[in-house]
Amino acid sequence: MAEIEVYTERYEREHGHKPVGRRFWSFTIVSPIATAKDHFLHTEQAMTYDKALEKAMEVAIKRRSERIIVEP
């Protein structure tokens, strides 16, 4: 299985640092098999970045994603 890229540059430009901490997180899942509505993933509760990324990675693997974009 190919490695999934985690793109954080948009987040870093907006916030001035790498994603870290506890908050509501948003991701764009880049996948050829997801519908437009399924491209976005928002956490339903505040959680650490590591936990949120873990959940996004689970979705990305199911959708055979090539990239996860961390949104600001």
Side-chain angles (χ1 to χ4, degrees), residues 4 9 11 13 19 24-25 30-31 33 36 38 41 49 63:
I4 299 171
E9 288 181 31
Y11 182 94
R13 261 194 318 271
F24 290 90
W25 294 94
V30 180
S31 171
I33 65 168
D38 290 335
L41 176 68
Y49 171 69
R63 295 185 184 153

Side-chain angles (χ1 to χ4, degrees), residues 23-27 41-47 52-53 55:
R23 60 175 279 198
F24 290 90
W25 294 94
S26 297
F27 301 92
L41 176 68
H42 306 282
T43 59
E44 295 177 5
Q45 59 189 27
M47 61 181 62
L53 182 58
K55 290 186 176 294

